Amino acid sequence: MMKKLISSMLFVGIATISQAQTTAKAQADEAAVRKIEELSVIAMNTQDTLFMHQYVSPDYVVMNPNQKIHGFEGLIELLALWKKSNAAMKGTPPHIEHVIDKITINQDIAIVMGQDVPDATATTPDGKPLNKRAYTNIYRRYKKSWQLIARQNSTICQ
């Protein structure tokens, strides 16, 4: 009887420690993905291609609100276009709040769902108002860091 009690206590103790380690790892993974999300907003606003080469997979694919699909090179071209457009306007990019609604970690895949919410005065370079967008970013753990492998965003009807 005593052996069963000790065995049960040992099993519960090991399970508790294992669960705590799993929870701590999940929290660390979520914090790392959340940090990359924050830094990527800054990188997009400053057209930081060096950041993109570090945290975006060369195999990256995106579907934008215009139903266009492109890869990593398309992202770099878009950043160059924005940089040129911002320089021509001699202004700063519009403020867009990047809201994370949920992060789900499943082994080596992280899924981030949220919204990009422009301020009321935000416009495109050609003067059209910017619309609120829903997005999904998908990351893959590559060695010890996370890389963005896919993104989908779509305009939310007003």
Side-chain angles (χ1 to χ4, degrees):
M1 180 69 168
M2 189 61 130
K3 277 187 173 181
K4 284 185 179 180
L5 180 62
I6 291 173
S7 293
S8 295
M9 289 173 50
L10 184 60
F11 177 75
V12 169
I14 290 171
T16 302
I17 291 169
S18 176
Q19 180 62 35
Q21 289 173 339
T22 301
T23 301
K25 183 180 180 321
Q27 288 172 340
D29 284 343
E30 182 173 328
V33 169
R34 195 172 288 278
K35 185 65 175 175
I36 292 170
E37 283 280 303
E38 291 171 15
L39 293 173
S40 69
V41 170
I42 295 167
M44 289 297 284
N45 286 339
T46 60
Q47 295 82 45
D48 183 350
T49 56
L50 189 60
F51 174 89
M52 296 303 171
H53 281 279
Q54 185 175 359
Y55 288 103
V56 178
S57 169
D59 301 322
Y60 168 81
V61 64
V62 61
M63 177 181 279
N64 67 29
N66 300 326
Q67 307 290 311
K68 301 235 187 297
I69 298 173
H70 59 83
F72 182 77
E73 289 306 316
L75 172 65
I76 298 302
E77 289 170 10
L78 178 66
L79 290 176
L81 178 67
W82 283 358
K83 193 172 204 169
K84 185 186 288 185
S85 174
N86 288 338
M89 291 185 340
K90 293 183 174 50
T92 58
H95 176 72
I96 300 172
E97 184 179 0
H98 188 71
V99 179
I100 296 173
D101 293 325
K102 181 155 180 59
I103 296 177
T104 302
I105 308 281
N106 188 346
Q107 296 178 10
D108 289 342
I109 299 293
I111 302 165
V112 181
M113 295 179 160
Q115 304 169 49
D116 288 326
V117 184
D119 65 20
T121 61
T123 60
T124 62
D126 58 355
K128 296 178 184 171
L130 280 177
N131 293 316
K132 185 175 177 181
R133 295 180 179 176
Y135 71 86
T136 301
N137 286 342
I138 301 173
Y139 292 86
R140 175 185 64 209
R141 186 189 329 268
Y142 182 73
K143 297 184 181 177
K144 293 186 179 185
S145 67
W146 293 91
Q147 281 192 326
L148 183 64
I149 60 171
R151 176 177 170 86
Q152 189 279 331
N153 61 30
S154 54
T155 300
I156 299 173
C157 295
Q158 304 296 333

